[in-house]
């Protein structure tokens, strides 16, 4: 593990008393999931081969556009593609061949090495909501601020089942667009010790992300290790814009991981059919990952598929629908056949509130993601209203549900203790297991238990105020934020980060876009 | 299909105008699900063989009790079991051998033959909540009445994705215990034309159920066809009481179907381990189904598994937990290896309200049931508070979610239209699919759409009152009950049912248990 340990840092400042107070509150984080259960394979071999052949045909005959990016066009031409204007047509088999240098599994290092995550194979890494401009809490819905952002990072740090601090947990709209990324990264780096994502909204902001990581982890360490996994959306259908590709270029060249992900609302950015959408997804991801490998063979990448359906009555994107699950299952199979880590799923929903609708839709997506072999799940908690809103209550409700996935993925134990034949003998027909030796020895770890949902008898619950899940979640948000304590950070690093941000911010005017 | 069509009935009473009014409101019911997707197999061959061997060992070494039932003990002895007092020890392999005469698939006939259901193989039949003494609606929680019962039957009749009218959709506590079954069956027979369940609370009530079916379907028809599927719970661990077995005896001898189902809260009625619970489930079901085949070889039965976990802090049963899903997946595999129809799952939850908790828990169970190969899903909608409450709002919310299962089970189309290559060609890089020919030709049927959840933009939803799922569901309950129209029923049959019930009720005093 020597190559995956960031440089040792001297503990900064605080005396024994402060350290004791810190350690008094323990924020346990479960290790990333390693599935001991099979994946769900919805498509058979013939279907998979058909979709793969169609995706090859799309790349060869229709091609993809690399917009405003002469350097990319040059690389593609050198690699053997047919380049005409901004259109890149890729001969059958070439994209797949180029993808072969991408690793099937990689480690993303956290500043606390215990929180490193492995992405690929049978793993599942859980990261929070990404992108919403609004937040919702017990008071209602409003534009997100940097203070909201920090609260979400704190909640993520304290969430046992969340392995990753994420990226834009909400858009801090009170900070100018061109300076936000500094404050967001600073929050992830200082308020949490879990792995995180870098900025992708400008190539220069990706470079700032890399430079800040060099301060946090050490210059050499960053060159040799992956310390960020960032989100590169493809402009579906079949378009790679220069902003996103610019960020990808920075990250790939610096050996930092990217999710290469079509962003598709079916019927708008892809055909209104599951098979057609899978074809387009595969073509787009192959082109994007092939390009990443042209930039730096071996650069860590993830096969992404953010795909959902549309309500043809209102034009609104819909989530947790059966078509979205089918696409997830199929895309997972396509990713595994390429030997690539897979990103999809999340706690996706279209509901305006963290109510029954939001939970049905979220649970459908979470189940599909677990069984569909997702390796990196963005939006695993806190996503509301089709991604327009980060919800504090839904964050803690979803984060709790992620425990269900951990337990389900652990599989069924079959050792002698789990077989429990002695218990069945001891209790016999008509008996009761509560008091038997096997139950006494095993009950503490036998069944997963929610930390936020209500298991009390009706009368107790009623007398305590008959709270619904929303009210229980609000109380938990308050409690967690009240208990929060920052993980220790070397004072020298902290000061160096502050100085870098101050210098960079001073060098630019405020920008609104 | 001649053997599965009940006798032709003359349309009773009403003239052309009334018939026109009736047909103006159409209550479409989807055909039962025939899965075109694979089952999820969580256990490998070695694990399944281990559990099967352990179950055989439990039956041979520990055995099961048939309580207060000399006739059953006699049958078991004749079949080769070792009978000692009420304990029946079954030599290795005997129970499994006896189970072989049970059909792997059977038809349950409805009085409207279009609503016949097939149970077994790749099918999934959805039936509503069963058993709660309380109801909850927009006004709160109270004891259930016969009027509530009728409302639930009406809602079930009007639910497109529900194939079955169920049985005790709630306990009508305002009717004496010994007379309830008449009113409940009458409601299912007259207010709906979907298939239903018979009474199991006394052997005589099972006989009444058979007798009422003879009036509804015709005497000979009932002898030759299965017109009821009833729920026989095993008194876990390993105990078969005389009341339930008495009902089973009536149904099996009359060729009516029974679900033979352990009712297990893990840690109380079975070991606190998944493998131990699966062992006990298999042993119990094999003993119960073997007994049904001793009564009448070929009697239709279902391998049941109602199994959930327990909260060891409060002792409350918990639902939608990962252990419950694991047991469902494993039990489904064990049932398929015996070639038997499988019952498990449902919209199970422990929540007191139809809130986010109830929906997370419900959706976990629904997904596991679909992928775990369930053939008959009781409690598919309306179940609340660990089965203590039938909820009107949850009934319509869950019944709507059952549409997700239909669509997911239909699999992924791969014909030329579904491949959509022409659409991808037409739109090309950077284009938009909303207006293309393929979208126009397919959008109406492309994506599943909820009939109760909200897809409106935030502003529209907010101005309309910012309703949560509960409020939307309440409105739908009102709307459906307002639109309800009874399916036509031959007047002679209707009068004969009334006369039978009046005569039987007059023959007995009111009883409270």
């Amino acid at each position: 593990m020597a190559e995956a340990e960031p440089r040792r840092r001297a503990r900064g400042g605080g005396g024994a008393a402060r350290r004791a107070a810190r350690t008094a509150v323990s924020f346990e984080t479960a290790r990333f999931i390693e599935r001991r259960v099979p994946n769900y394979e919805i498509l058979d071999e013939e279907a998979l081969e058909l979709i793969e052949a169609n995706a090859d045909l799309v790349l060869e005959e229709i091609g993809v556009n690399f917009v405003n990016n002469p350097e990319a066009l040059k690389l593609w031409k050198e690699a053997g593609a047919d380049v005409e204007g901004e259109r890149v047509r890729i001969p059958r088999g070439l994209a797949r061949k180029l993808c072969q240098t991408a690793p099937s599994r990689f480690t993303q290092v956290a500043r606390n090495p215990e929180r490193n995550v492995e992405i690929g194979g049978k793993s599942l890494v859980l990261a929070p909501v990404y992108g919403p401009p609004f937040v919702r809490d017990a008071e209602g819905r409003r534009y997100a601020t940097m203070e909201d952002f920090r609260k979400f990072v704190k909640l993520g740090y304290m969430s046992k089942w969340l392995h990753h601090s994420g990226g834009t947990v909400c858009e801090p709209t009170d900070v100018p667009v061109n300076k936000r990324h500094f404050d967001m990264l600073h929050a992830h780096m200082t308020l949490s010790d879990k792995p995180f994502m870098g900025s992708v909204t400008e190539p220069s902001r990706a470079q700032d992300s890399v430079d800040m990581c060099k301060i946090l982890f050490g210059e050499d360490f960053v060159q040799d290790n992956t310390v960020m996994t960032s989100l590169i959306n493809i402009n579906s259908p079949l378009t790679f814009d220069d902003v996103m590709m610019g960020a990808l270029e920075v990250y790939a060249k610096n050996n930092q991981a990217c999710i290469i992900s079509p962003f598709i609302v079916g019927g708008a950015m892809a055909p209104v059919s599951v098979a057609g959408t899978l074809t387009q997804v595969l073509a787009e991801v192959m082109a994007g990952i092939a390009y990443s490998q042209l930039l730096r063979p071996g650069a860590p990448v993830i096969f992404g598929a953010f795909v959902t359906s549309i309500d043809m009555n209102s034009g609104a994107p819909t989530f947790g629908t059966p078509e979205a699950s089918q696409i997830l299952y199929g895309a997972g199979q396509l990713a595994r056949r390429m030997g690539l880590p897979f990103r999809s799923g999340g706690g996706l929903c279209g509901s305006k509130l963290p109510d029954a609708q939001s939970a049905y839709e979220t649970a459908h997506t979470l189940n599909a993601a677990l069984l569909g072999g997702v390796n990196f799940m963005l939006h695993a908690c806190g996503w509301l209203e089709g991604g327009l809103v980060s919800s504090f209550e839904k964050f803690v409700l979803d984060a709790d549900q992620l425990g269900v996935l951990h337990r389900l993925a652990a599989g069924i134990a079959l050792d002698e203790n789990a077989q429990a034949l002695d218990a069945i003998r001891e209790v016999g027909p008509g008996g009761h297991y509560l008091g038997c030796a096997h139950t006494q020895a095993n009950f503490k770890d036998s069944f997963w238990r929610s930390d936020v949902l209500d298991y009390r008898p009706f009368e107790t619950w009623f007398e305590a105020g008959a709270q619904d899940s929303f009210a229980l979640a609000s109380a938990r948000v308050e409690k967690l934020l009240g208990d929060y304590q920052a993980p220790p950070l070397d004072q020298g690093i902290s000061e160096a980060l502050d100085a870098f941000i101050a210098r960079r911010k001073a060098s630019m005017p405020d920008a609104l876009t």
Side-chain angles (χ1 to χ4, degrees), chain A residues 260-309:
Chain A
I260 313 256
S261 197
F263 177 95
I264 290 177
V265 178
M269 294 88 125
V272 283
S273 67
V274 170
T277 300
L278 283 170
T279 301
Q280 187 182 309
V281 164
L282 180 59
E284 291 178 347
V285 172
M286 283 202 296
I289 289 184
Y291 179 60
S292 76
Q293 302 302 304
L294 289 177
L295 294 167
R296 173 168 169 158
V301 285
I302 300 176
F303 180 125
F306 181 93
V307 186
T308 196
S309 47

Side-chain angles (χ1 to χ4, degrees), chain A residues 207 210 214 222-223 249-256 296:
Chain A
Q207 188 59 53
V210 171
K214 288 179 179 170
V222 169
Q223 280 311 311
E249 287 151 16
V250 171
Y251 287 126
K253 286 174 185 168
N254 283 280
N255 198 35
Q256 299 306 308
R296 173 168 169 158

Side-chain angles (χ1 to χ4, degrees), chain A residues 25-235:
Chain A
V25 180
S26 154
F27 305 131
E28 188 191 349
T29 296
R31 195 177 134 88
F32 62 89
I33 292 173
E34 284 271 3
R35 290 176 179 82
R36 290 184 204 166
V37 295
N39 294 315
Y40 184 66
E41 313 282 353
I42 200 168
L43 293 171
D44 62 19
E45 179 70 23
E46 194 185 347
L48 291 162
E49 285 174 6
L50 176 69
I51 289 167
E52 286 169 346
N54 285 353
D56 274 347
L57 189 145
V58 166
L59 288 178
E60 183 167 68
E61 182 193 313
I62 304 167
V64 297
N65 280 2
F66 275 76
V67 178
N68 202 21
N69 197 340
E71 185 62 25
L73 298 173
K74 183 161 166 283
L75 281 174
W76 272 118
K77 196 161 189 178
E78 288 166 7
D82 168 22
V83 177
E84 189 185 338
E86 295 189 325
R87 184 73 59 99
V88 177
R89 291 187 179 80
I90 307 169
R92 183 171 301 264
L94 174 60
R96 185 173 290 270
K97 181 161 166 284
L98 290 170
C99 291
Q100 284 171 359
T101 54
S104 58
R105 184 176 172 123
F106 64 90
T107 302
Q108 182 184 352
V109 179
R111 75 171 169 98
N112 177 350
E114 288 176 15
R115 295 180 173 178
N116 292 357
V117 292
E118 306 257 331
I119 300 172
K122 300 280 278 177
S123 86
L124 171 54
V125 173
L126 301 167
V129 58
Y130 186 104
F134 298 99
V135 295
R136 180 178 279 280
D137 61 14
E139 305 295 309
R141 181 186 192 261
R142 59 189 152 71
Y143 274 104
T145 65
M146 196 57 218
E147 185 51 29
D148 293 316
F149 189 101
R150 291 192 190 97
K151 284 184 184 170
F152 279 115
V153 173
K154 291 175 182 178
L155 290 176
Y157 171 59
M158 298 170 83
S159 296
K160 177 174 178 183
W161 308 115
L162 202 64
H163 317 114
H164 203 281
S165 194
T168 310
V169 288
C170 62
E171 276 286 350
T173 60
D174 56 341
V175 182
V177 167
N178 60 337
K179 299 181 177 175
R180 274 177 204 172
H181 62 291
F182 297 116
D183 296 349
M184 293 195 280
L185 275 165
H186 185 263
H188 286 299
M189 290 176 169
T190 59
L191 303 177
S192 179
D193 63 4
K194 296 185 179 181
F196 53 83
M197 305 172 79
S199 177
V200 296
T201 53
E202 269 288 329
S204 69
R205 296 172 198 157
Q207 188 59 53
D208 284 332
S209 306
V210 171
D211 292 343
M212 285 178 71
C213 281
K214 288 179 179 170
I215 297 172
L216 186 67
F217 290 94
E219 177 114 17
D220 295 343
F221 190 84
V222 169
Q223 280 311 311
D224 298 334
N225 293 279
T226 296
V227 297
M228 282 180 286
T229 297
S230 304
L231 178 62
I232 302 296
N233 278 329
I234 297 167
N235 214 334

Side-chain angles (χ1 to χ4, degrees), chain A residues 429-510:
Chain A
H432 209 288
Y433 283 87
L434 276 181
C436 86
H438 182 266
T439 304
Q440 292 301 313
N442 291 284
F443 78 89
K444 278 186 185 156
D445 301 318
S446 294
F447 298 129
W448 177 79
R449 190 179 195 285
S450 165
D451 288 323
V452 57
L453 303 182
D454 193 274
Y455 295 147
R456 292 171 293 180
F458 174 77
E459 291 72 16
T460 320
W461 168 82
F462 188 77
E463 281 160 20
Q467 292 176 301
D468 67 4
S469 305
F470 185 85
L472 293 168
S474 283
R476 186 164 169 83
V477 169
E478 289 289 305
K479 173 82 171 79
L480 287 173
L481 292 178
D483 287 349
Y484 172 80
Q485 295 188 7
L489 177 63
D490 179 274
Q491 201 173 333
I493 291 175
S494 178
E495 285 166 6
L497 284 172
D498 290 345
F500 175 85
I501 292 172
R503 179 170 60 75
R504 287 285 294 135
K505 278 189 173 179
S507 75
M508 52 181 77
D510 288 353

